Amino acid sequence: MITFKIDGMTCPSCATHIHDTLIQLPGVEKADVSYPAGLAKVTAKNEQDTEHLIAAINSLGYRATLDVPSPAKTSDTPSDAGLHVAVIGSGGGAMAAALKAAELGARVTLIERGTIGGTCVNIGCVPSKILIRAAHVAHMRCYSPFDDGIPAATPVVNHHALHAQQQARVDELRHAKYENILENTPAIRVIKGEARFQDAQHLVVDRTDGGSETVAFDRCLIATGARATIPAIDGLEGTPYWTSTEALASDSLPARLAVIGSSVVAVELAQAFARLGSQVSILARDTLFSHDDPAIGESLTAAFRAEGIDVQEQTQTQSITYDQGVFTLRTNQGTIQAEQVLIATGRTANTDRLNLDTAGIHSDRQNRISVDAQMRTNVAHIYATGDCTANPQFVYVAAAGGTRAAINMTGGEATLDLTTMPAVVFSDPQIATVGLTEAQAQAQGIETDSRTLTLDNVPRALVNFETQGFIKLVADAKTGRLLGVQAVAGEAGELIQTAALAIRARMTVQELADQLFPYLTMVEGIKLAAQTFSKDVSMLSCCAG
């Protein structure tokens, strides 16, 4: 049985109106609505489907909230005024949770120590993709496959103006998608300050205005994100090195840029700065994307070197000195000098100042909070999402986790399924993956059958004169079911969701090969790759079905 508190009833007829609506809903077996008590008690086949019940009541003009018992209440626990959810952070995961919890009837206090909006909109996804797009335009003006017919011209890059344009769009999106929404959602109160746990039911907030405040909560979501990990390189500390934050905030271009790292942030920013005019070296401890299918790193390395980006593999930086505006990096492969160094060696969870131990919350050796598929920590009423957990560090994963956490905090039941999570690296060519690699499938005891289609077999790539890259399909050898897709292509990010849906639908490669795909699109490459399991696509005509 589910119990709802209902505000807005003015007479017994209101209770009858709500009862008659509820009893007609699919799955509802019984509904008792009391006007004097302001309560509705509902028995339903799926007692976790609270969202639809609340929506049905609210559609009648009343306000329904879950009557959720609070754990370990103290005298100042604000549950008497409705379920109170505290959210630490204001990025994608925090916002999704706060808005969903408010929608489901909770009262929310959102606490942010820095700029509203978190990493993605302010110093991550949005500014980096603007920079990458600007760099792509600069590159196409300087070089394209059609230079014989459309002569190239080296562009003059005004990085100061580009940065101003980038920041204006960041400010616009932050205001529209974060600040304005919070200002216009009465159920959410925002406190500017830094939070830490006093115990498992209270937060202490050191406000930015100099005051301090204790916040009691019934449920809490931790969504504090992560920051750049700084490796222990002799001499690095105290130098004016960059992380991605400083790189995206800079309104000038270094003549020479050394990038220490080999994954997403390293390659995206390295290529962007190279295309805008910096001489770039990437120092990879192993190879680019060494934890992925080896073909990915090999293909991207070849593309980068063809652009003049110096990719140094198996390179460890042993020491760094900085003198008169120049960094000197000593590595096991030799010495490199640059006007700037970008550290892109991973990210560290922002949990070290939360006093997790005082609330009994478990974290791993990297300070990441341990959560289950419902986003619960080991403390039943405290949840976490986003980069402060061990989940993949993508804003859409954080937001999905935040929404599911809010549903669970307000009495529902929702899980985060990452089995068909697509991932995109916005290099050129792009990298996109979903599902299992061959190695991952085989580690699970699955016998695989795989095919790799080079882009010179994809008509869209041929007419673009951009055939560097591949599309690889991994299938179950016994059933033919698609298990995973890895792609390196100019528009890999635009085709990977088709692969994700195919995996989620448990399609076989033959079913995929039989689908209709529009001709002269990059996504047609998935169909062609599927056809390679049964035929030689080089012997097909352009539009062969």
Side-chain angles (χ1 to χ4, degrees):
M1 184 174 65
I2 317 167
T3 301
F4 299 99
K5 292 181 179 179
I6 303 178
D7 294 325
M9 289 193 292
T10 59
C11 63
S13 295
C14 294
T16 301
H17 188 200
I18 294 170
H19 169 272
D20 293 344
T21 298
L22 289 173
I23 205 67
Q24 294 179 38
L25 295 177
V28 173
E29 298 174 342
K30 184 179 180 182
D32 294 319
V33 184
S34 169
Y35 161 62
L39 295 176
K41 296 182 179 181
V42 181
T43 302
K45 293 180 180 178
N46 181 8
E47 294 204 347
Q48 309 302 334
D49 193 13
T50 58
E51 292 184 74
H52 291 91
L53 298 175
I54 288 174
I57 297 171
N58 291 350
S59 69
L60 301 174
Y62 308 101
R63 180 172 176 79
T65 58
L66 277 170
D67 185 21
V68 183
S70 301
K73 289 185 182 179
T74 60
S75 59
D76 61 347
T77 298
S79 302
D80 297 335
L83 184 74
H84 183 215
V85 174
V87 176
I88 311 174
S90 68
M95 283 290 290
L99 292 170
K100 191 65 174 179
E103 176 189 324
L104 294 174
R107 184 165 56 88
V108 179
T109 298
L110 183 145
I111 305 158
E112 172 56 62
R113 69 178 182 179
T115 305
I116 292 293
T119 295
C120 181
V121 71
N122 290 305
I123 58 173
C125 319
V126 173
S128 68
K129 301 315 170 281
I130 294 172
L131 181 71
I132 289 166
R133 184 61 179 175
H136 176 75
V137 171
H139 179 69
M140 294 302 289
R141 290 180 180 178
C142 182
Y143 167 80
S144 86
F146 300 97
D147 285 349
D148 288 346
I150 307 172
T154 302
V156 176
V157 177
N158 183 337
H159 195 64
H160 179 78
L162 285 177
H163 180 262
Q165 182 182 18
Q166 167 190 306
Q167 192 58 43
R169 182 52 52 90
V170 166
D171 294 344
E172 174 191 331
L173 286 173
R174 179 178 61 249
H175 179 69
K177 297 298 184 182
Y178 293 85
E179 295 168 341
N180 188 56
I181 290 174
L182 290 173
E183 290 170 3
N184 288 281
T185 307
I188 302 176
R189 178 196 176 206
V190 177
I191 303 177
K192 295 299 294 294
E194 184 165 11
R196 64 184 185 276
F197 285 96
Q198 184 179 74
D199 53 42
Q201 290 292 156
H202 297 82
L203 295 167
V204 175
V205 183
D206 296 323
R207 298 199 309 263
T208 55
D209 63 9
S212 181
E213 180 174 346
T214 299
V215 176
F217 58 83
D218 301 311
R219 308 285 185 268
C220 181
L221 175 79
I222 305 168
T224 49
R227 62 187 183 274
T229 299
I230 309 303
I233 300 173
D234 184 36
L236 177 63
E237 186 177 357
T239 66
Y241 63 86
W242 278 353
T243 66
S244 60
T245 300
E246 291 78 24
L248 292 169
S250 175
D251 62 358
S252 61
L253 288 168
R256 294 172 295 179
L257 174 65
V259 180
I260 300 177
S262 59
S263 192
V264 181
V265 174
V267 302
E268 286 186 350
L269 293 184
Q271 188 177 42
F273 276 92
R275 289 180 162 188
L276 290 171
S278 297
Q279 181 182 325
V280 176
S281 295
I282 301 178
L283 312 182
R285 179 182 289 272
D286 193 344
T287 60
L288 298 188
F289 294 96
S290 58
H291 298 297
D292 292 282
D293 189 301
I296 290 174
E298 293 168 5
S299 184
L300 196 66
T301 297
F304 274 24
R305 286 174 174 165
E307 282 192 25
I309 299 172
D310 177 28
V311 180
Q312 298 194 18
E313 300 173 320
Q314 310 297 330
T315 301
Q316 298 184 25
T317 304
Q318 299 164 337
S319 67
I320 292 178
T321 58
Y322 180 74
D323 183 50
Q324 296 184 9
V326 176
F327 288 86
T328 300
L329 295 79
R330 293 178 176 83
T331 78
N332 59 320
Q333 304 284 4
T335 300
I336 295 174
Q337 289 192 318
E339 279 68 37
Q340 190 51 259
V341 170
L342 169 61
I343 303 297
T345 53
R347 295 181 67 77
T348 299
N350 289 325
T351 60
D352 46 317
R353 294 162 65 174
L354 288 173
N355 284 357
L356 295 178
D357 289 345
T358 64
I361 301 168
H362 294 168
S363 58
D364 63 18
R365 292 181 179 179
Q366 287 77 45
N367 294 325
R368 300 174 303 187
I369 298 170
S370 304
V371 295
D372 61 16
Q374 287 76 40
M375 314 312 297
R376 292 184 179 93
T377 70
N378 61 292
V379 180
H381 62 286
I382 299 177
Y383 296 69
T385 190
D387 294 359
C388 64
T389 73
N391 282 335
Q393 295 190 355
F394 299 105
V395 68
Y396 47 94
V397 174
T403 297
R404 285 152 180 79
I407 292 169
N408 296 329
M409 285 190 289
T410 53
E413 186 68 27
T415 59
L416 180 62
D417 181 3
L418 297 173
T419 55
T420 55
M421 181 207 74
V424 180
V425 181
F426 291 89
S427 53
D428 185 12
Q430 293 178 358
I431 299 167
T433 59
V434 67
L436 301 177
T437 65
E438 280 185 287
Q440 290 169 338
Q442 291 166 6
Q444 295 181 21
I446 303 172
E447 183 182 351
T448 61
D449 188 10
S450 302
R451 297 289 190 278
T452 299
L453 181 76
T454 56
L455 294 192
D456 54 3
N457 290 289
V458 179
R460 177 77 253 182
L462 287 167
V463 301
N464 286 350
F465 290 82
E466 294 176 349
T467 57
Q468 186 168 33
F470 65 88
I471 300 171
K472 181 175 182 177
L473 272 55
V474 181
D476 185 317
K478 295 181 179 179
T479 65
R481 183 167 65 88
L482 184 66
L483 301 174
V485 176
Q486 298 88 46
V488 176
E491 299 296 333
E494 303 302 329
L495 63 81
I496 202 62
Q497 191 62 28
T498 296
L501 294 173
I503 294 171
R504 187 172 185 82
R506 302 180 66 84
M507 293 178 69
T508 66
V509 289
Q510 187 57 53
E511 289 172 332
L512 195 55
D514 291 339
Q515 291 294 307
L516 293 174
F517 281 74
Y519 181 55
L520 284 178
T521 59
M522 282 302 299
V523 74
E524 185 192 20
I526 292 180
K527 173 189 178 75
L528 292 166
Q531 288 179 320
T532 63
F533 282 80
S534 59
K535 61 184 66 175
D536 180 359
V537 297
S538 67
M539 300 303 293
L540 297 177
S541 66
C542 285
C543 306

PDB file of all heavy atoms in Angstrom, residues 328-354:
ATOM      1  N   THR A 328      60.485  22.771 -19.247  1.00  0.00           N
ATOM      2  CA  THR A 328      61.368  21.727 -19.760  1.00  0.00           C
ATOM      3  C   THR A 328      60.950  20.411 -19.130  1.00  0.00           C
ATOM      4  O   THR A 328      60.952  20.264 -17.908  1.00  0.00           O
ATOM      5  CB  THR A 328      62.838  22.019 -19.432  1.00  0.00           C
ATOM      6  OG1 THR A 328      63.211  23.274 -20.023  1.00  0.00           O
ATOM      7  CG2 THR A 328      63.742  20.927 -19.971  1.00  0.00           C
ATOM      8  N   LEU A 329      60.548  19.476 -19.959  1.00  0.00           N
ATOM      9  CA  LEU A 329      60.083  18.171 -19.491  1.00  0.00           C
ATOM     10  C   LEU A 329      61.139  17.124 -19.819  1.00  0.00           C
ATOM     11  O   LEU A 329      61.514  16.953 -20.989  1.00  0.00           O
ATOM     12  CB  LEU A 329      58.765  17.780 -20.163  1.00  0.00           C
ATOM     13  CG  LEU A 329      57.528  18.631 -19.864  1.00  0.00           C
ATOM     14  CD1 LEU A 329      57.527  19.930 -20.672  1.00  0.00           C
ATOM     15  CD2 LEU A 329      56.260  17.839 -20.155  1.00  0.00           C
ATOM     16  N   ARG A 330      61.602  16.443 -18.809  1.00  0.00           N
ATOM     17  CA  ARG A 330      62.561  15.358 -19.010  1.00  0.00           C
ATOM     18  C   ARG A 330      61.816  14.040 -18.924  1.00  0.00           C
ATOM     19  O   ARG A 330      61.165  13.749 -17.918  1.00  0.00           O
ATOM     20  CB  ARG A 330      63.685  15.435 -17.982  1.00  0.00           C
ATOM     21  CG  ARG A 330      64.573  16.667 -18.185  1.00  0.00           C
ATOM     22  CD  ARG A 330      65.672  16.797 -17.147  1.00  0.00           C
ATOM     23  NE  ARG A 330      66.533  17.938 -17.472  1.00  0.00           N
ATOM     24  CZ  ARG A 330      66.256  19.186 -17.162  1.00  0.00           C
ATOM     25  NH1 ARG A 330      65.137  19.482 -16.515  1.00  0.00           N
ATOM     26  NH2 ARG A 330      67.090  20.164 -17.489  1.00  0.00           N
ATOM     27  N   THR A 331      61.904  13.246 -19.972  1.00  0.00           N
ATOM     28  CA  THR A 331      61.178  11.980 -20.053  1.00  0.00           C
ATOM     29  C   THR A 331      62.146  10.841 -20.321  1.00  0.00           C
ATOM     30  O   THR A 331      63.332  11.066 -20.595  1.00  0.00           O
ATOM     31  CB  THR A 331      60.133  12.017 -21.180  1.00  0.00           C
ATOM     32  OG1 THR A 331      60.780  11.824 -22.439  1.00  0.00           O
ATOM     33  CG2 THR A 331      59.379  13.346 -21.202  1.00  0.00           C
ATOM     34  N   ASN A 332      61.637   9.627 -20.262  1.00  0.00           N
ATOM     35  CA  ASN A 332      62.468   8.469 -20.589  1.00  0.00           C
ATOM     36  C   ASN A 332      62.808   8.405 -22.073  1.00  0.00           C
ATOM     37  O   ASN A 332      63.639   7.598 -22.500  1.00  0.00           O
ATOM     38  CB  ASN A 332      61.759   7.179 -20.176  1.00  0.00           C
ATOM     39  CG  ASN A 332      60.420   6.998 -20.857  1.00  0.00           C
ATOM     40  OD1 ASN A 332      59.666   7.946 -21.024  1.00  0.00           O
ATOM     41  ND2 ASN A 332      60.115   5.766 -21.273  1.00  0.00           N
ATOM     42  N   GLN A 333      62.178   9.283 -22.881  1.00  0.00           N
ATOM     43  CA  GLN A 333      62.444   9.327 -24.314  1.00  0.00           C
ATOM     44  C   GLN A 333      63.276  10.544 -24.716  1.00  0.00           C
ATOM     45  O   GLN A 333      63.582  10.715 -25.894  1.00  0.00           O
ATOM     46  CB  GLN A 333      61.116   9.350 -25.094  1.00  0.00           C
ATOM     47  CG  GLN A 333      60.182   8.189 -24.784  1.00  0.00           C
ATOM     48  CD  GLN A 333      60.621   6.898 -25.445  1.00  0.00           C
ATOM     49  OE1 GLN A 333      61.661   6.823 -26.082  1.00  0.00           O
ATOM     50  NE2 GLN A 333      59.823   5.853 -25.294  1.00  0.00           N
ATOM     51  N   GLY A 334      63.586  11.416 -23.745  1.00  0.00           N
ATOM     52  CA  GLY A 334      64.348  12.612 -24.081  1.00  0.00           C
ATOM     53  C   GLY A 334      63.757  13.845 -23.426  1.00  0.00           C
ATOM     54  O   GLY A 334      62.951  13.756 -22.482  1.00  0.00           O
ATOM     55  N   THR A 335      64.109  15.014 -23.910  1.00  0.00           N
ATOM     56  CA  THR A 335      63.686  16.292 -23.326  1.00  0.00           C
ATOM     57  C   THR A 335      62.792  17.056 -24.293  1.00  0.00           C
ATOM     58  O   THR A 335      63.056  17.086 -25.502  1.00  0.00           O
ATOM     59  CB  THR A 335      64.915  17.151 -22.972  1.00  0.00           C
ATOM     60  OG1 THR A 335      65.719  16.438 -22.017  1.00  0.00           O
ATOM     61  CG2 THR A 335      64.498  18.484 -22.373  1.00  0.00           C
ATOM     62  N   ILE A 336      61.741  17.663 -23.742  1.00  0.00           N
ATOM     63  CA  ILE A 336      60.804  18.459 -24.532  1.00  0.00           C
ATOM     64  C   ILE A 336      60.657  19.821 -23.866  1.00  0.00           C
ATOM     65  O   ILE A 336      60.604  19.921 -22.636  1.00  0.00           O
ATOM     66  CB  ILE A 336      59.421  17.779 -24.609  1.00  0.00           C
ATOM     67  CG1 ILE A 336      59.521  16.462 -25.368  1.00  0.00           C
ATOM     68  CG2 ILE A 336      58.397  18.690 -25.284  1.00  0.00           C
ATOM     69  CD1 ILE A 336      58.231  15.678 -25.349  1.00  0.00           C
ATOM     70  N   GLN A 337      60.594  20.864 -24.682  1.00  0.00           N
ATOM     71  CA  GLN A 337      60.342  22.197 -24.162  1.00  0.00           C
ATOM     72  C   GLN A 337      59.027  22.736 -24.736  1.00  0.00           C
ATOM     73  O   GLN A 337      58.685  22.464 -25.884  1.00  0.00           O
ATOM     74  CB  GLN A 337      61.493  23.139 -24.494  1.00  0.00           C
ATOM     75  CG  GLN A 337      62.766  22.839 -23.695  1.00  0.00           C
ATOM     76  CD  GLN A 337      63.800  23.933 -23.817  1.00  0.00           C
ATOM     77  OE1 GLN A 337      64.024  24.470 -24.900  1.00  0.00           O
ATOM     78  NE2 GLN A 337      64.447  24.275 -22.706  1.00  0.00           N
ATOM     79  N   ALA A 338      58.308  23.498 -23.904  1.00  0.00           N
ATOM     80  CA  ALA A 338      57.032  24.065 -24.330  1.00  0.00           C
ATOM     81  C   ALA A 338      56.703  25.277 -23.486  1.00  0.00           C
ATOM     82  O   ALA A 338      57.150  25.391 -22.335  1.00  0.00           O
ATOM     83  CB  ALA A 338      55.921  23.024 -24.203  1.00  0.00           C
ATOM     84  N   GLU A 339      55.922  26.192 -24.074  1.00  0.00           N
ATOM     85  CA  GLU A 339      55.482  27.358 -23.322  1.00  0.00           C
ATOM     86  C   GLU A 339      54.375  27.009 -22.321  1.00  0.00           C
ATOM     87  O   GLU A 339      54.138  27.764 -21.377  1.00  0.00           O
ATOM     88  CB  GLU A 339      54.980  28.451 -24.272  1.00  0.00           C
ATOM     89  CG  GLU A 339      56.088  29.282 -24.903  1.00  0.00           C
ATOM     90  CD  GLU A 339      56.935  28.469 -25.874  1.00  0.00           C
ATOM     91  OE1 GLU A 339      56.372  27.600 -26.580  1.00  0.00           O
ATOM     92  OE2 GLU A 339      58.165  28.700 -25.927  1.00  0.00           O
ATOM     93  N   GLN A 340      53.714  25.877 -22.540  1.00  0.00           N
ATOM     94  CA  GLN A 340      52.667  25.478 -21.612  1.00  0.00           C
ATOM     95  C   GLN A 340      52.576  23.963 -21.541  1.00  0.00           C
ATOM     96  O   GLN A 340      52.879  23.258 -22.515  1.00  0.00           O
ATOM     97  CB  GLN A 340      51.306  26.050 -22.028  1.00  0.00           C
ATOM     98  CG  GLN A 340      50.199  25.879 -21.005  1.00  0.00           C
ATOM     99  CD  GLN A 340      50.575  26.364 -19.620  1.00  0.00           C
ATOM    100  OE1 GLN A 340      50.908  25.550 -18.738  1.00  0.00           O
ATOM    101  NE2 GLN A 340      50.550  27.677 -19.406  1.00  0.00           N
ATOM    102  N   VAL A 341      52.175  23.476 -20.374  1.00  0.00           N
ATOM    103  CA  VAL A 341      51.960  22.042 -20.134  1.00  0.00           C
ATOM    104  C   VAL A 341      50.511  21.845 -19.702  1.00  0.00           C
ATOM    105  O   VAL A 341      50.018  22.562 -18.819  1.00  0.00           O
ATOM    106  CB  VAL A 341      52.908  21.501 -19.047  1.00  0.00           C
ATOM    107  CG1 VAL A 341      52.503  20.087 -18.632  1.00  0.00           C
ATOM    108  CG2 VAL A 341      54.347  21.507 -19.533  1.00  0.00           C
ATOM    109  N   LEU A 342      49.830  20.906 -20.336  1.00  0.00           N
ATOM    110  CA  LEU A 342      48.461  20.545 -19.978  1.00  0.00           C
ATOM    111  C   LEU A 342      48.480  19.178 -19.302  1.00  0.00           C
ATOM    112  O   LEU A 342      48.930  18.199 -19.896  1.00  0.00           O
ATOM    113  CB  LEU A 342      47.568  20.508 -21.215  1.00  0.00           C
ATOM    114  CG  LEU A 342      46.165  19.899 -21.053  1.00  0.00           C
ATOM    115  CD1 LEU A 342      45.344  20.680 -20.034  1.00  0.00           C
ATOM    116  CD2 LEU A 342      45.439  19.837 -22.395  1.00  0.00           C
ATOM    117  N   ILE A 343      48.001  19.118 -18.070  1.00  0.00           N
ATOM    118  CA  ILE A 343      47.902  17.859 -17.337  1.00  0.00           C
ATOM    119  C   ILE A 343      46.508  17.284 -17.554  1.00  0.00           C
ATOM    120  O   ILE A 343      45.498  17.901 -17.180  1.00  0.00           O
ATOM    121  CB  ILE A 343      48.148  18.070 -15.830  1.00  0.00           C
ATOM    122  CG1 ILE A 343      49.518  18.714 -15.583  1.00  0.00           C
ATOM    123  CG2 ILE A 343      48.022  16.745 -15.084  1.00  0.00           C
ATOM    124  CD1 ILE A 343      50.693  17.873 -16.023  1.00  0.00           C
ATOM    125  N   ALA A 344      46.449  16.116 -18.169  1.00  0.00           N
ATOM    126  CA  ALA A 344      45.165  15.460 -18.465  1.00  0.00           C
ATOM    127  C   ALA A 344      45.300  13.972 -18.178  1.00  0.00           C
ATOM    128  O   ALA A 344      45.202  13.125 -19.073  1.00  0.00           O
ATOM    129  CB  ALA A 344      44.766  15.707 -19.914  1.00  0.00           C
ATOM    130  N   THR A 345      45.529  13.653 -16.913  1.00  0.00           N
ATOM    131  CA  THR A 345      45.823  12.275 -16.512  1.00  0.00           C
ATOM    132  C   THR A 345      44.707  11.661 -15.673  1.00  0.00           C
ATOM    133  O   THR A 345      44.938  10.747 -14.889  1.00  0.00           O
ATOM    134  CB  THR A 345      47.141  12.230 -15.722  1.00  0.00           C
ATOM    135  OG1 THR A 345      47.076  13.187 -14.649  1.00  0.00           O
ATOM    136  CG2 THR A 345      48.323  12.558 -16.606  1.00  0.00           C
ATOM    137  N   GLY A 346      43.499  12.139 -15.845  1.00  0.00           N
ATOM    138  CA  GLY A 346      42.371  11.584 -15.109  1.00  0.00           C
ATOM    139  C   GLY A 346      41.783  12.585 -14.146  1.00  0.00           C
ATOM    140  O   GLY A 346      42.213  13.741 -14.064  1.00  0.00           O
ATOM    141  N   ARG A 347      40.764  12.129 -13.387  1.00  0.00           N
ATOM    142  CA  ARG A 347      40.056  13.028 -12.482  1.00  0.00           C
ATOM    143  C   ARG A 347      39.877  12.373 -11.114  1.00  0.00           C
ATOM    144  O   ARG A 347      39.787  11.144 -11.008  1.00  0.00           O
ATOM    145  CB  ARG A 347      38.702  13.440 -13.076  1.00  0.00           C
ATOM    146  CG  ARG A 347      38.882  14.257 -14.348  1.00  0.00           C
ATOM    147  CD  ARG A 347      37.582  14.712 -14.956  1.00  0.00           C
ATOM    148  NE  ARG A 347      36.864  15.683 -14.151  1.00  0.00           N
ATOM    149  CZ  ARG A 347      37.197  16.977 -14.062  1.00  0.00           C
ATOM    150  NH1 ARG A 347      38.260  17.441 -14.706  1.00  0.00           N
ATOM    151  NH2 ARG A 347      36.474  17.800 -13.331  1.00  0.00           N
ATOM    152  N   THR A 348      39.836  13.210 -10.084  1.00  0.00           N
ATOM    153  CA  THR A 348      39.723  12.782  -8.693  1.00  0.00           C
ATOM    154  C   THR A 348      38.403  13.268  -8.115  1.00  0.00           C
ATOM    155  O   THR A 348      38.037  14.440  -8.286  1.00  0.00           O
ATOM    156  CB  THR A 348      40.891  13.354  -7.863  1.00  0.00           C
ATOM    157  OG1 THR A 348      42.127  12.861  -8.376  1.00  0.00           O
ATOM    158  CG2 THR A 348      40.762  12.966  -6.392  1.00  0.00           C
ATOM    159  N   ALA A 349      37.699  12.392  -7.437  1.00  0.00           N
ATOM    160  CA  ALA A 349      36.387  12.738  -6.878  1.00  0.00           C
ATOM    161  C   ALA A 349      36.501  13.852  -5.844  1.00  0.00           C
ATOM    162  O   ALA A 349      37.407  13.856  -5.002  1.00  0.00           O
ATOM    163  CB  ALA A 349      35.743  11.509  -6.249  1.00  0.00           C
ATOM    164  N   ASN A 350      35.558  14.802  -5.881  1.00  0.00           N
ATOM    165  CA  ASN A 350      35.498  15.898  -4.905  1.00  0.00           C
ATOM    166  C   ASN A 350      34.742  15.451  -3.665  1.00  0.00           C
ATOM    167  O   ASN A 350      33.616  15.891  -3.406  1.00  0.00           O
ATOM    168  CB  ASN A 350      34.809  17.118  -5.524  1.00  0.00           C
ATOM    169  CG  ASN A 350      35.641  17.795  -6.573  1.00  0.00           C
ATOM    170  OD1 ASN A 350      36.859  17.851  -6.480  1.00  0.00           O
ATOM    171  ND2 ASN A 350      34.987  18.320  -7.600  1.00  0.00           N
ATOM    172  N   THR A 351      35.331  14.560  -2.897  1.00  0.00           N
ATOM    173  CA  THR A 351      34.666  14.051  -1.699  1.00  0.00           C
ATOM    174  C   THR A 351      35.508  14.218  -0.449  1.00  0.00           C
ATOM    175  O   THR A 351      35.030  13.935   0.652  1.00  0.00           O
ATOM    176  CB  THR A 351      34.345  12.545  -1.861  1.00  0.00           C
ATOM    177  OG1 THR A 351      35.573  11.827  -2.057  1.00  0.00           O
ATOM    178  CG2 THR A 351      33.424  12.303  -3.048  1.00  0.00           C
ATOM    179  N   ASP A 352      36.754  14.667  -0.599  1.00  0.00           N
ATOM    180  CA  ASP A 352      37.689  14.672   0.525  1.00  0.00           C
ATOM    181  C   ASP A 352      37.320  15.663   1.622  1.00  0.00           C
ATOM    182  O   ASP A 352      37.798  15.543   2.748  1.00  0.00           O
ATOM    183  CB  ASP A 352      39.118  14.939   0.036  1.00  0.00           C
ATOM    184  CG  ASP A 352      39.206  16.096  -0.946  1.00  0.00           C
ATOM    185  OD1 ASP A 352      38.349  16.182  -1.836  1.00  0.00           O
ATOM    186  OD2 ASP A 352      40.137  16.918  -0.828  1.00  0.00           O
ATOM    187  N   ARG A 353      36.459  16.642   1.329  1.00  0.00           N
ATOM    188  CA  ARG A 353      36.093  17.638   2.334  1.00  0.00           C
ATOM    189  C   ARG A 353      34.645  17.487   2.798  1.00  0.00           C
ATOM    190  O   ARG A 353      34.091  18.380   3.438  1.00  0.00           O
ATOM    191  CB  ARG A 353      36.338  19.044   1.784  1.00  0.00           C
ATOM    192  CG  ARG A 353      37.822  19.295   1.549  1.00  0.00           C
ATOM    193  CD  ARG A 353      38.100  20.462   0.629  1.00  0.00           C
ATOM    194  NE  ARG A 353      37.675  21.747   1.181  1.00  0.00           N
ATOM    195  CZ  ARG A 353      37.926  22.917   0.592  1.00  0.00           C
ATOM    196  NH1 ARG A 353      38.604  22.961  -0.544  1.00  0.00           N
ATOM    197  NH2 ARG A 353      37.504  24.040   1.160  1.00  0.00           N
ATOM    198  N   LEU A 354      34.038  16.355   2.508  1.00  0.00           N
ATOM    199  CA  LEU A 354      32.634  16.141   2.881  1.00  0.00           C
ATOM    200  C   LEU A 354      32.456  15.495   4.253  1.00  0.00           C
ATOM    201  O   LEU A 354      31.327  15.398   4.734  1.00  0.00           O
ATOM    202  CB  LEU A 354      31.948  15.255   1.837  1.00  0.00           C
ATOM    203  CG  LEU A 354      31.646  15.887   0.477  1.00  0.00           C
ATOM    204  CD1 LEU A 354      31.135  14.842  -0.501  1.00  0.00           C
ATOM    205  CD2 LEU A 354      30.621  17.015   0.618  1.00  0.00           C
TER     206      LEU A 354
END
